Amino acid sequence: MPDQSTPDAVSSPEDAAKGGVSRRRLLGTAGATGLALGAAGGAAGYAAAPSAGKAASAAPLTSVGSDAVMFHGKHQPGITTALQARGHLVAFDLAAGAGRKEAAALLRRWSATAQRLMAGEPAAQDDTDVARDAGPSSLTVTFGFGHSFFARTGLEKQRPVALDPLPDFSSDHLDKARSNGDLWVQIGANDALVAFHALRAVQKDAGNAARVRWQMNGFNRSPGATGRPMTARNLMGQVDGTRNPKPSESDFDRRVFVPDAGEPAWMANGSYAVVRRIRMLLDDWEKLSPGAQEDVIGRKKATGAPLSGGTETTPMDLDKTDADGNLVVPINAHARITRPDQNGGAAMLRRPFSFHDGIDTDGVPDAGLLFVCWQADPLRGFVPVQRKLDRGDALSTFVRHESSGLFAVPGGAATGEYVGQRLLEG
């Protein structure tokens, strides 16, 4: 779980959304670790003329409910979008006999549905009415392709080199049934019903073309829970995400997105998502004193400040020692090991969700982090950092990587296009 910071929220609010729901940007920015801060209960937006399938008089919406993210754009939504309070990650495998033609039709259906739901409109057919009164609630739907997708569709020559399988890591205890997949969908929203509504619509749209391989459900702090934007905390109680790259930084696009002239051409303005289900061994972690926990991470638990002093955003002094000559930030501290300047500049945009799936058969919490990170090339982003963690991260004793996936996420669809069209019809 590399230690990186919160990206600036990137949204495209408009005065009016399709279906008459006013689009308002959330007040405040969101952390890549899960914050989406807004004025819950603030200035209300009202649905005007309701679209087909809506109630005759739509319910008034707060700024949280009325906030909408554009589906069409240079990049797919859900990458630099402020992280939402609720998320679903789901992978699909194409059905037996389904190929390129069926995949193209599926992505066309999915894109049309995502565009409608993200605008606060009902699905075109058989809408469940689950999100009838909710508004768009910052819904995003993001689509990606796994390594196996290209053989299934006869597009092996178009498979990116960057999509080669990830190497094995010593911390891996991977469940193959909950790893990889032909297709991947990330859903996020600031209303749990909106997120579930989108999940059901995507599953229904799959029809006979694809079946669910695995699904994972996550959460983050609710919008407006704090009075000012703050980096989120993970289930270990640690401030998580302090050094994430920010969209305002000059090299952000180079680190996160495939360039216009990149290879293959259909991945221009796209990104690669590494998805890991990381179990936190909370019973063991919580036996440590707060001081011992801080030594594992290399940061103060209360504030996120480096143990070398200052505030959360103060650069970490890796050479500072105490009166006995010991390094203030331990040599195996997680925050030390994951620093980009300790990994040849390797960096990624972390955008995870926490999860809690009850108690497992051993009576311990099945909880942790649905780790999602974005980068222009995983061989220069996730892989070198994870290899470094493998060689002596103090946190590795308290986490277990239980599933893994790597997906090529193409650039955003232009108006009139569907996601992946340049691959499937190129």
Side-chain angles (χ1 to χ4, degrees):
M1 300 180 296
D3 171 52
Q4 302 181 324
S5 81
T6 59
D8 297 334
V10 177
S11 58
S12 301
E14 297 177 354
D15 290 336
K18 292 182 180 180
V21 181
S22 66
R23 298 187 174 201
R24 298 170 186 261
R25 183 169 185 161
L26 286 177
L27 302 180
T29 58
T33 54
L35 273 179
L37 296 174
Y46 291 82
S51 54
K54 291 282 187 179
S57 58
L61 300 171
T62 68
S63 59
V64 173
S66 63
D67 190 63
V69 180
M70 297 297 293
F71 174 75
H72 294 295
K74 183 177 181 179
H75 309 297
Q76 285 198 58
I79 301 175
T80 57
T81 309
L83 231 181
Q84 306 98 323
R86 187 69 180 175
H88 300 289
L89 308 179
V90 56
F92 293 81
D93 285 334
L94 291 172
R100 181 173 176 177
K101 178 181 177 181
E102 290 77 15
L106 174 57
L107 267 296
R108 191 179 295 113
R109 290 195 299 275
W110 273 350
S111 295
T113 294
Q115 180 182 1
R116 290 182 63 90
L117 299 187
M118 286 173 57
E121 299 177 0
Q125 295 181 342
D126 301 322
D127 190 86
T128 62
D129 271 348
V130 170
R132 186 182 185 92
D133 306 313
S137 299
S138 298
L139 174 67
T140 60
V141 187
T142 316
F143 304 102
F145 304 110
H147 184 276
S148 56
F149 176 82
F150 297 85
R152 299 292 305 277
T153 54
L155 292 165
E156 293 97 329
K157 292 183 179 180
Q158 292 296 320
R159 183 173 60 223
V161 174
L163 201 58
D164 285 352
L166 296 172
D168 294 330
F169 301 106
S170 63
S171 58
D172 287 351
H173 295 75
L174 303 182
D175 178 356
K176 292 183 178 180
R178 292 196 294 180
S179 298
N180 302 311
D182 293 342
L183 293 156
W184 176 68
V185 184
Q186 173 190 258
I187 296 168
N190 283 330
D191 184 299
L193 287 180
V194 170
F196 177 81
H197 178 242
L199 176 67
R200 289 295 299 140
V202 165
Q203 290 171 338
K204 290 169 66 176
D205 275 351
N208 295 323
R211 58 179 177 80
V212 173
R213 178 180 177 87
W214 54 258
Q215 178 189 320
M216 301 174 190
N217 311 310
F219 59 90
N220 287 298
R221 183 174 288 162
S222 298
T226 60
R228 61 180 177 81
M230 297 176 65
T231 309
R233 294 184 184 274
N234 59 34
L235 299 189
M236 288 179 161
Q238 299 293 143
V239 174
D240 189 350
T242 299
R243 288 186 56 83
N244 232 10
K246 298 179 177 64
S248 58
E249 295 170 353
S250 60
D251 61 350
F252 179 85
D253 281 1
R254 178 181 62 79
R255 292 181 170 189
V256 176
F257 295 112
V258 176
D260 287 330
E263 292 293 337
W266 65 268
M267 272 296 291
N269 302 310
S271 188
Y272 292 91
V274 174
V275 182
R276 311 274 282 183
R277 185 184 195 269
I278 304 176
R279 171 84 75 94
M280 293 177 172
L281 308 181
L282 295 179
D283 285 352
D284 295 336
W285 174 256
E286 290 163 4
K287 292 175 184 177
L288 297 180
S289 68
Q293 292 177 353
E294 291 176 347
D295 284 341
V296 168
I297 302 300
R299 291 182 175 274
K300 292 289 185 182
K301 190 170 184 178
T303 64
L307 297 184
S308 54
T311 66
E312 181 186 349
T313 57
T314 300
M316 185 174 289
D317 184 351
L318 300 181
D319 299 320
K320 187 173 182 179
T321 57
D322 60 19
D324 298 322
N326 299 313
L327 289 170
V328 174
V329 180
I331 196 68
N332 61 349
H334 183 74
R336 173 190 284 271
I337 293 174
T338 57
R339 283 171 56 99
D341 58 8
Q342 300 294 301
N343 295 281
M348 67 203 84
L349 176 65
R350 300 172 72 261
R351 199 176 182 276
F353 293 90
S354 293
F355 74 88
H356 180 216
D357 293 334
I359 303 298
D360 70 9
T361 55
D362 295 327
V364 298
D366 184 6
L369 197 69
L370 300 180
F371 176 87
V372 182
C373 72
W374 301 89
Q375 58 259 282
D377 183 350
L379 292 178
R380 293 185 176 136
F382 173 79
V383 171
V385 176
Q386 189 59 37
R387 278 178 171 157
K388 189 81 171 287
L389 292 171
D390 250 15
R391 292 196 292 267
D393 176 28
L395 185 60
S396 64
T397 303
F398 304 98
V399 297
R400 186 167 61 221
H401 292 236
E402 296 186 333
S403 68
S404 179
L406 172 61
F407 302 95
V409 177
T415 301
E417 288 185 346
Y418 63 86
V419 173
Q421 183 169 333
R422 281 163 279 180
L423 167 65
L424 291 163
E425 297 186 17

